[in-house]
Structure formats: structure tokens, C-alpha cells
Amino acid sequence: MVVKEGKSFVRSVNPHSVVEQVLAEIRRSIVFGALKPGQEFSLRETAAQLGVSTAPVREALRVLQGEGLIVARRARSAVVAPMDLSDLGSIYGLRRLIEPSIAGRSCELVTDEGLDALERMVDVMSDEKSSIDDIYETHREFHLALLRPAATIWDLRVLETLWHAAERYVRVGFGRLDPLPSEHKRRREAHQSVLDAFRHRDGDGARQAVLRHLDENERIARESLAT
């Protein structure tokens, strides 16, 4: 195809496309528990609630199925994927293979300003005045900022999928702890230990700290699901 000089061959687009917005909203509903494991929902009804056509909903569901969050039912409905211990083990098994290794490199690359930003995130996560949603949003941003200096684009793509899959398990597992005053202190200590290893620029220490953090989070989530 010949493109005439001065004539654009692509159209301007909204940086936040309809599909991305629909994807974010349905994912949020699953992760936050508004859509329960095993719950069936209609594409048409979901589209009507979001004020969009069924096309972006269908495309968003393809992505969510790839993330393991839903199971598609023919063309008109989907079911929220169940939560079970084998899936939990697989998610954290993959995270253990990826995150500690990146952390070991990232602690040598992160700037002092980056460490200060991570410190402020720990403050938000352990603040009694922070909402549960703020805590979990900050928790995901903490782990992203922790690893970003050494992570490739593909690392982040894989990790984002694993973090989304893990978050609903974490929310259920920690749901019984969130109301306890002691949880704020535990949350601070858990993340501060990781941050301290980064401040010492200790690669092996950072790897071990992240590994312990993942082990503890899986243990709490697993105990909650088993009861």
C-alpha cells in the first residue's frame, strides 16, 4: 500500500481502549470478590452494566481466560474460575522461580530515590487509616517497583498475570487477618525485611527475603482455603 506524503495511515486512538477498561473492571470484580468463584455471568448483561457492546466484553474474557480467572461457556456466558490449592501452589511455584532471581539483580540497580518510594509504600500498607483496596493496590505496586529495575518486558508480562491470579487468593487468605490490629505491624515487618535487604544492596539477602515473603503469603492463603 502506498501512503501519500503528509497523510496519516493510522487513526488516533484512546490510550485507554474500551477493551482495556472492560478488562480492568471485570478483573477487579473477580479479584475483589464481587464475582465469586464458580459464579456464572452473562456477556450480554455484563455489557449492559458496563454500557458497552458485547464485543469488548468477549475480548476481555479471552484475556481473563488466559490468566486463569474465568472459564468461558460457549459464546454467551462465562464462569469465574474456582479457587483450589493446586492452582495456588502452581502460581506461587512460578513466582518462586522468577521473583527472587530478579530481586537479586534489582537490589543493585534500584536508586536511593526508588528505595525511599518503596519505604513510603510500606507506610501506606501498614497505616491503620488505609482502606483495604488502597493496601492491596499499594502492595502490587510495591512488588512491581521492587523488581522493575532488573525486569524485562517479558518478566513483567508474566509477573502481572501471576500477580492478578494470586491476588484473589491473598485477599481471601488475609481477609481474616485484615481486621486485627496486629496485622498492621505484621504487614510492616514482612515488607520492611525485604526492603532492608535491598537497602544493603545484598543480592543473596534480597533473594532470600523475597522467597520467605512468598512462602509466608502462600502459607496464610493455603491455611485459609483449607479451613
Side-chain angles (χ1 to χ4, degrees), residues 185-195 209 213 217:
K185 179 181 178 181
R186 188 211 64 80
R187 191 181 291 123
R188 173 178 287 280
E189 292 175 348
H191 293 89
Q192 192 67 52
S193 65
V194 175
L195 185 52
H213 184 68
N217 280 7

Side-chain angles (χ1 to χ4, degrees), residues 22 26 43 53-63 74-76:
V22 170
I26 299 176
L43 271 69
S53 70
T54 58
V57 175
R58 187 174 292 108
E59 185 63 30
L61 293 184
R62 289 195 187 99
V63 177
R74 297 180 181 175
R76 297 185 179 181

Side-chain angles (χ1 to χ4, degrees), residues 5-196:
E5 186 177 355
K7 184 176 180 181
S8 173
F9 60 93
V10 294
R11 297 174 297 178
S12 61
V13 297
N14 186 328
H16 299 290
S17 73
V18 173
V19 173
E20 289 172 340
Q21 293 177 62
V22 170
L23 173 61
E25 183 58 25
I26 299 176
R27 184 192 284 130
R28 183 200 65 79
S29 297
I30 294 171
V31 169
F32 288 17
L35 285 170
K36 307 294 184 183
Q39 180 176 343
E40 184 173 2
F41 59 98
S42 161
L43 271 69
R44 189 176 299 279
E45 290 179 2
T46 301
Q49 291 172 4
L50 292 170
V52 298
S53 70
T54 58
V57 175
R58 187 174 292 108
E59 185 63 30
L61 293 184
R62 289 195 187 99
V63 177
L64 292 170
Q65 185 167 22
E67 294 178 353
L69 293 178
I70 66 106
V71 178
R73 287 279 183 87
R74 297 180 181 175
R76 297 185 179 181
S77 68
V79 176
V80 179
M83 297 172 66
D84 61 56
L85 296 178
S86 63
D87 279 352
L88 178 65
S90 295
I91 293 165
Y92 274 90
L94 289 169
R95 291 184 65 179
R96 288 188 191 90
L97 290 175
I98 301 171
E99 293 181 48
S101 176
I102 299 174
R105 302 191 303 274
S106 184
C107 74
E108 299 176 1
L109 299 174
V110 65
T111 64
D112 290 339
E113 292 79 7
L115 291 170
D116 291 341
L118 286 163
E119 194 81 54
R120 291 191 291 272
M121 293 179 201
V122 173
D123 290 339
V124 172
M125 287 188 284
S126 56
D127 189 344
E128 295 181 10
K129 297 179 182 178
S130 295
S131 70
I132 295 301
D133 288 347
D134 285 342
I135 289 170
Y136 285 108
E137 287 294 328
T138 305
H139 182 260
R140 188 165 57 249
E141 180 58 32
F142 176 88
H143 284 276
L144 177 60
L146 199 71
L147 303 180
R148 187 188 282 120
T152 68
I153 292 175
W154 278 102
D155 288 330
L156 295 177
R157 285 174 177 167
V158 172
L159 286 172
E160 286 281 2
T161 297
L162 292 172
W163 288 337
H164 286 307
E167 186 172 353
R168 62 179 185 150
Y169 287 92
V170 171
R171 279 182 175 259
V172 169
F174 285 82
R176 58 179 181 150
L177 300 179
D178 287 330
L180 302 178
S182 60
E183 172 60 8
H184 301 290
K185 179 181 178 181
R186 188 211 64 80
R187 191 181 291 123
R188 173 178 287 280
E189 292 175 348
H191 293 89
Q192 192 67 52
S193 65
V194 175
L195 185 52
D196 288 345

